[in-house]
Amino acid sequence: MLKNKKIALYVTGGIAVYKSLYLLREIIKQGGEVRVAMTQAACQFVNPLSFQVLSQKKVQIDTFEEGQPESVSHIDLTDWADYSIVAPATANIIGKLANGIGDDFVSTALLATDHPIFLVPAMNTKMYENPALKHNKAFLIEQGHYWMEPDIGFLAEGYEGLGRFPDLDRIMAEFNHFIIARNPGILSGKKVLVTAGGTVERIDPVRYISNDSSGKMGHQLAQAAYEAGAQVSLVTASDLPTSPFIDRFQVESTLDLYQTVSDLYDHHDILMMAAAVSDYRPVNRSDKKMKKQDDLTIELEKNPDILAEMGRRKDQQINVGFAAETHNLEEYAKKKLASKQADLIVANEVGRGDRGFNADENAALVFSRGQDPLELPLQSKKEMAQKIIEVVASKLPASPK
Ligand code: PMT
């Protein structure tokens, strides 16, 4: 998501400055290029050298230290940056930005920034509740800047309150969302429904029928669709995490999955069924743990075929199914394409260990009607999900000019 993005990170003086080092490291880990500027107050908390080492770039602090005669350093930074983050943002820098005060490197650079700034305030609760801060906050939001609400928790002053520097995962999720909202993607304006994970059919309170699906493929598809600009609903039987900006529906059995997909389907443009759905369920579920017996027969009944049913209900939707096969990949995939009235079938080989169920990588052939299959060689599920999303987007009807 952050690959090749140029990010100016402004660090202002509060106890949370050290947490900004983790933020810097995470942005770089996610592919971003970062230049850091600090206020003098921030340098009191953490030596700029730490930021320099992690960013591998000189940290800018002094407005009058003009290293390159051909450019003005604070303008050069704002012109260079695609995105700007202030983390932690003190009440002081918020006040300066809202009131047009530029009296050091950070404040002058922020005043010269012509794109919305991502603000991560962190301060004592009483400061956060100060009417002047509230006034400045309202003004900055009105101006289009992004305001992250701080966390509630244990503050440096030794008591609980609102004002803590937010959890790193939450900052990254909101920052990614901020970027996605500003960049139309190939699925912008579309609603995508994804299923993931292996369904569980209970036999008794401690036993069940399921499969080895981890949900990785489906969760990556949901994330890739979200990053491509779609509004995503994920119906999952997996406990893997998801972005807070993806609508998540937790299910267990095939009937749960069926009911949820059925309720949501008509409100979506694209259905992607990566869930490994149990074709059968026990006719009876025992409320008590079943005792050992010499002969045990568990009678099974057929579950609904969700993809096939959505194929029958299809209006404008694009339906994407998966085929998990140990052999005859092409033959079975083509049959599923026809019998389930799918637009695409992503056929992946399972039972090999390095791909398919529970692996981090996958390989597939993508079948669509009247076209040669597209080969997706062994790659990470994240990369594969992005490629599948590109194929799906190419099937969308062209939007009217
Ligand atoms: O979750 P991971 O560990 O990352 O593994 C990924 C995966 C191997 C599970 C995934 O890539 C995959 O292949 N998912 C589909 C598994 C499956 O159920 O395949 P199938 O060939 O049995 O079913 C064909 C299609 O019909 C699938 O889209 C399935 O979701 C759907 N189906 C199946 C049965 C049923 N009763 N209703 C359905 O809708």
Side-chain angles (χ1 to χ4, degrees), residues 195-198 211-218 254 257 272-279 303-308 320-325 336 340 345-346 348-350 356-359 362 381:
T195 68
N211 57 66
D212 285 330
S213 169
S214 60
K216 288 177 190 168
M217 192 68 241
T254 302
L257 184 75
M272 308 184 84
M273 288 281 308
V277 183
S278 176
D279 287 316
N303 268 324
D305 188 320
I306 305 165
L307 183 60
V320 181
F322 276 71
E325 312 292 353
K336 283 175 184 169
K340 298 182 188 237
I345 287 285
V346 181
N348 47 193
E349 213 177 313
V350 290
F357 285 112
N358 208 6
N362 209 0
K381 284 183 175 170

Side-chain angles (χ1 to χ4, degrees), residues 205-400:
V206 294
R207 300 184 180 94
Y208 55 82
I209 300 169
S210 190
N211 57 66
D212 285 330
S213 169
S214 60
K216 288 177 190 168
M217 192 68 241
H219 280 239
Q220 289 294 354
L221 275 173
Q223 180 66 20
Y226 162 66
E227 288 179 6
Q231 194 180 319
V232 180
S233 305
L234 173 66
V235 187
T236 182
S238 160
D239 54 11
L240 288 175
T242 32
S243 159
F245 298 101
I246 290 175
D247 289 330
R248 180 180 182 129
F249 299 83
Q250 198 67 38
V251 293
E252 184 176 92
S253 67
T254 302
L255 286 182
D256 292 343
L257 184 75
Y258 169 66
Q259 194 55 56
T260 313
V261 169
S262 182
D263 290 347
L264 295 170
Y265 183 71
D266 293 343
H267 312 291
H268 287 79
D269 304 294
I270 296 162
L271 169 67
M272 308 184 84
M273 288 281 308
V277 183
S278 176
D279 287 316
Y280 297 92
R281 64 177 182 274
V283 173
N284 297 307
R285 180 193 157 170
S286 169
D287 289 341
K288 297 198 178 72
K289 184 183 169 198
M290 288 162 66
K291 298 316 283 174
K292 202 184 288 177
Q293 17 188 309
D294 287 342
D295 286 314
L296 175 64
T297 304
I298 297 173
E299 202 186 334
L300 300 177
E301 62 186 323
K302 227 169 170 197
N303 268 324
D305 188 320
I306 305 165
L307 183 60
E309 183 166 330
M310 298 310 131
R312 287 189 288 274
R313 256 169 69 176
K314 200 152 92 94
D315 179 19
Q316 298 292 316
Q317 287 94 340
I318 292 181
N319 286 359
V320 181
F322 276 71
E325 312 292 353
T326 52
H327 59 287
N328 290 352
L329 207 62
E330 180 157 353
E331 183 193 334
Y332 292 139
K334 283 182 173 164
K335 272 190 186 151
K336 283 175 184 169
L337 191 66
S339 67
K340 298 182 188 237
Q341 297 177 51
D343 298 279
L344 292 173
I345 287 285
V346 181
N348 47 193
E349 213 177 313
V350 290
R352 281 184 54 166
D354 66 340
R355 62 195 68 188
F357 285 112
N358 208 6
D360 289 330
E361 296 193 318
N362 209 0
L365 287 171
V366 183
F367 291 87
S368 56
R369 245 169 271 129
Q371 284 186 345
D372 288 338
L374 170 72
E375 187 178 352
L376 299 177
L378 193 65
Q379 58 199 288
S380 71
K381 284 183 175 170
K382 183 186 171 84
E383 287 169 312
M384 178 174 285
Q386 288 163 344
K387 295 208 179 108
I388 294 170
I389 291 298
E390 281 170 24
V391 178
V392 173
S394 74
K395 300 278 169 201
L396 288 167
S399 42

